[in-house]
Amino acid sequence: MQVPGVPPEDLPAELPDAKSVLLDVRENDEWAAGHAPGALHIPMNEVPQRLDELPEADQVYVVCRSGGRSARVTAYLNANGWDAVNVERGMNGWAATGRPVVSDEPGAEPMVL
């Protein structure tokens, strides 16, 4: 099955916004090291139990490190009535295009694990 995808450079400049959410499905340590500002964090294996945490949005952009896990979550969300799109190349691509990355670790330089 073909999963809809978008390269990070084609994403809206301001994410999330009133009509979209950026869902990060990486593990807790990956998230803590560096993530997109304003993203929602739900690790991939917790998504089915935590669907009620996804806000009402016209578009759900799903991101992981390189695009594999997020493609699986995108397919799952689309099969369950969401309008989800995989962020191609993941946070690696996000950071490589100069998009902002923040860390939960005080004083630590944000990085993509």
Side-chain angles (χ1 to χ4, degrees):
M1 177 174 111
Q2 186 65 25
V3 173
V6 62
E9 53 272 19
D10 290 351
L11 288 169
E14 293 299 316
L15 268 179
D17 61 29
K19 296 185 178 196
S20 64
V21 62
L22 181 64
L23 174 63
D24 190 321
V25 297
R26 296 175 302 148
E27 296 300 316
N28 292 329
D29 61 328
E30 295 173 287
W31 167 266
H35 57 270
L40 173 65
H41 178 230
I42 303 177
M44 183 176 90
N45 63 346
E46 298 176 19
V47 168
Q49 299 83 26
R50 296 175 60 186
L51 284 176
D52 59 337
E53 294 178 38
L54 273 175
E56 290 293 322
D58 294 340
Q59 191 72 70
V60 178
Y61 295 103
V62 188
V63 68
C64 65
R65 181 178 59 231
S66 60
R69 287 173 286 180
S70 54
R72 291 196 295 277
V73 172
T74 297
Y76 175 82
L77 291 174
N78 286 337
N80 285 278
W82 299 90
D83 188 4
V85 177
N86 184 37
V87 177
E88 296 168 357
R89 303 188 321 273
M91 283 302 295
N92 287 333
W94 176 280
T97 60
R99 294 221 172 214
V101 178
V102 296
S103 171
D104 285 351
E105 307 294 329
E109 187 69 27
M111 58 191 260
V112 176
L113 288 184

